Amino acid sequence: MGRSLRASKEGQAKAKHAFKLKGWTQEYLAGTAGCYRGVVINFFARRPVAKGLFQAFCVELGLEWGEVAELEADEAPERSLNIDEQIVSVRNNIYGSVIEKCGFMRVLDMSQPIGLDDIYTDVNILEKITGRRRLGISQLLEQVDIENFERFSLSGIREERVSGLQAVMQHSKLMILGKPGAGKTTFLKHLAIQCVEGRFKPKLVPLFITLKDFAEASGKPSLLEYLVQLFPSYGVEPDTKVKTGFLTKLFSDHSTAVELFLNQGRVFVLLDGLDEVRESDSSRVLQQIQSFTDRFHKNPFIVTCRIAAKGYTFEQFTEVEVADFDDGQIESFSTKWFQAKKDEVKAETFMKRLRQDKGIRELAASPILLTLLCLVFEESGTFPANRSELHKEGLDVLLKKWDVKRNIERDQVYKQLSLKRKEDLLSQIAIDTFESGNYFFKQKEVEREIGGYIQNLPGANTEEEVLQTDSEAVLKSIESQHGLLVERARGIYSFSHLTFHEYFTARKLVASAKSDIFATRLLPHLTEKR
């Protein structure tokens, strides 16, 4: 029969009567289905209409499409399921595939995956992006007890926090930003599981899309084409408990099924990792997301991306930020972690040691570094006596392991800036700011530091305008790719953790132990507690 339907004479009469009772215009009906008015005209004139749109018109008019369409005898549905029944049936069929794709976590040096639900800890959302606050350095300092600087990332902004689920309920289109390893992907996978199990947005079908996979898909399909391809990969087959003629046809025609649900606003679209898309694919992917969300605007969308990755803007989306873990979340995550490992005693010891060492406790505010701490403690039952070893391992995670373990290759904005040179650059920034007691520093100041460093690299372009552009790009790259420098307010930066600021300062001093720097920059400060 193909992929089109037309109304029977009796169906035409029913449709016209229902349309008259609604009091709508043809333009309005076309808008509800996401098509042009000409398609509506064809529908009422008994001309062939794409199956998905035909069904969408019937749903909007409150009619069973099987009673409106002109069908052959063997095509008549045994019983036309309403849209809610269709959603339940599809969710039942894709359940196993969603759990397989989203139900487990394996990161860093984990020897085996761990169930996401076993360790999932509710995330909090900042409704105002940290780096966009219009605060001066003096105002930031008012929020911070310098002697307990590790509290900074959690202080002064708690009143703006809402739970992640609350934010998703409040906004139909969300762009969730966050530092590397902040838990964005984990949150999105949790939402997919909650939805497919009917515990969150129970009237929707979740579709979890890794944007890197979409961008690199063979043939460069549109986002709609990719979803259609994805649908059968979910293992969709007719529910064995409800084998109606309609469902059999629905599942044999994935294009129709996807478009039908999208036109009805019944798909929970989860797009993960916009920052992981290669530069060469970026424009195409952005255009696809924009046009797709415009066309299927009835559906809720969430896109995740690292802070400072690019100047992405989607007009209809509300931008929020994943907050660092607070004390309660740290304890919840670590307790669940060791419970999943059948070692609740170690969970208590872990938290006790964490409270005793504020420098290590500070790292735990980052979910990825908290995972690292759990792995280290799980293996040895303690933390290294030399704390610098732990900081070095944490920096290795942020500088290289986190992307390498997930097979992500990022575009390097400055080819000569190797990882070793990034560490040297960060060490130089650290000692210059720490020595003067500047825990916060203006963007222009840190860009001058970067410019002064990269102009001495082999092959550097030392033209002032080029150097300025490169310095800004390097700063944003370090922020988005590694999260080691963070914009705390508009145009004001700090290291992500005081302990990293201290580590890089010490690294520079040790590297300079045989030079005048050691004596001139360290000795005058020996009596200062910091």
Side-chain angles (χ1 to χ4, degrees), residues 413-414 417 421-422 424-430 432 441-457 460-461 466-479 485 493 495:
V413 298
Y414 202 83
L417 204 57
R421 286 173 173 162
K422 282 183 181 178
D424 290 343
L425 169 59
L426 288 165
S427 297
Q428 186 63 51
I429 295 170
D432 288 344
F441 29 87
K442 292 184 178 180
Q443 180 173 341
K444 294 300 180 185
E445 293 172 0
V446 72
E447 285 176 3
R448 277 196 295 272
E449 290 263 12
I450 294 171
Y453 183 86
I454 64 177
Q455 70 179 353
N456 294 315
L457 296 178
N461 188 329
V466 174
L467 204 58
Q468 171 58 37
T469 301
D470 288 347
S471 299
E472 183 178 358
V474 167
L475 174 59
K476 291 298 182 182
S477 171
I478 291 174
E479 181 181 9
L485 293 175
Y493 278 78
F495 278 84

Side-chain angles (χ1 to χ4, degrees), residues 134-146 152 438-442 489 492:
R134 294 189 179 276
L135 299 175
I137 290 178
S138 60
Q139 292 171 295
L140 288 173
L141 287 171
E142 289 174 2
Q143 298 183 357
V144 182
D145 175 1
I146 296 299
F152 166 72
N438 292 331
Y439 300 109
F440 303 102
F441 29 87
K442 292 184 178 180
I492 299 175

Side-chain angles (χ1 to χ4, degrees), residues 377-428:
F377 204 87
E378 177 188 337
E379 184 174 333
S380 60
T382 187
F383 295 122
N386 185 347
R387 194 203 296 173
S388 66
E389 295 176 11
L390 190 59
H391 291 133
K392 179 65 168 65
E393 193 167 352
L395 287 169
D396 283 345
V397 167
L398 295 176
L399 283 168
K400 53 187 177 183
K401 283 187 179 180
W402 186 220
D403 280 345
V404 169
K405 289 287 185 180
R406 297 177 299 147
N407 298 315
I408 295 171
E409 295 182 16
R410 298 188 185 274
D411 298 296
Q412 296 301 313
V413 298
Y414 202 83
K415 303 299 182 185
Q416 288 79 15
L417 204 57
S418 63
L419 287 177
K420 170 66 166 56
R421 286 173 173 162
K422 282 183 181 178
E423 290 180 306
D424 290 343
L425 169 59
L426 288 165
S427 297
Q428 186 63 51

Side-chain angles (χ1 to χ4, degrees), residues 308-324:
K310 289 284 191 308
Y312 301 127
T313 301
F314 298 113
E315 291 183 0
Q316 299 176 344
F317 281 66
T318 299
E319 295 184 354
V320 297
E321 178 182 347
V322 178
D324 287 342

Side-chain angles (χ1 to χ4, degrees), residues 1 3-7 38-51 53-54 57 70:
M1 168 171 172
R3 294 182 177 178
S4 62
L5 294 172
R6 73 170 190 162
V39 182
V40 176
I41 293 174
N42 289 338
F43 172 74
F44 285 116
R46 296 188 61 224
R47 288 192 282 268
V49 170
K51 189 174 181 181
L53 292 173
F54 188 98
F57 293 149
E70 186 174 75

Side-chain angles (χ1 to χ4, degrees), residues 386 388 424 427 431 502-515 517-519 521-522:
N386 185 347
S388 66
D424 290 343
S427 297
I431 193 170
E502 293 170 333
Y503 175 87
F504 279 117
T505 300
R507 181 182 182 276
K508 180 66 176 179
L509 288 168
V510 170
S512 309
K514 295 180 181 180
S515 70
I517 291 178
F518 190 78
R521 304 190 75 163
L522 177 61

Side-chain angles (χ1 to χ4, degrees), residues 34 186 248 338 341 461 469:
T186 302
T248 302
F338 290 109
K341 305 291 183 175
N461 188 329
T469 301

Side-chain angles (χ1 to χ4, degrees), residues 128-176:
K128 185 159 187 176
I129 308 301
T130 303
R132 296 178 190 167
R133 298 182 298 169
R134 294 189 179 276
L135 299 175
I137 290 178
S138 60
Q139 292 171 295
L140 288 173
L141 287 171
E142 289 174 2
Q143 298 183 357
V144 182
D145 175 1
I146 296 299
E147 293 301 315
N148 296 288
F149 184 76
E150 66 269 21
R151 300 300 300 168
F152 166 72
S153 62
L154 305 177
S155 68
I157 52 177
R158 281 187 173 175
E159 67 277 9
E160 300 175 20
R161 293 179 171 212
V162 299
S163 73
L165 291 178
Q166 183 180 340
V168 175
M169 290 296 292
Q170 288 176 343
H171 305 286
S172 65
K173 292 176 179 57
L174 270 183
M175 168 76 84
I176 298 181

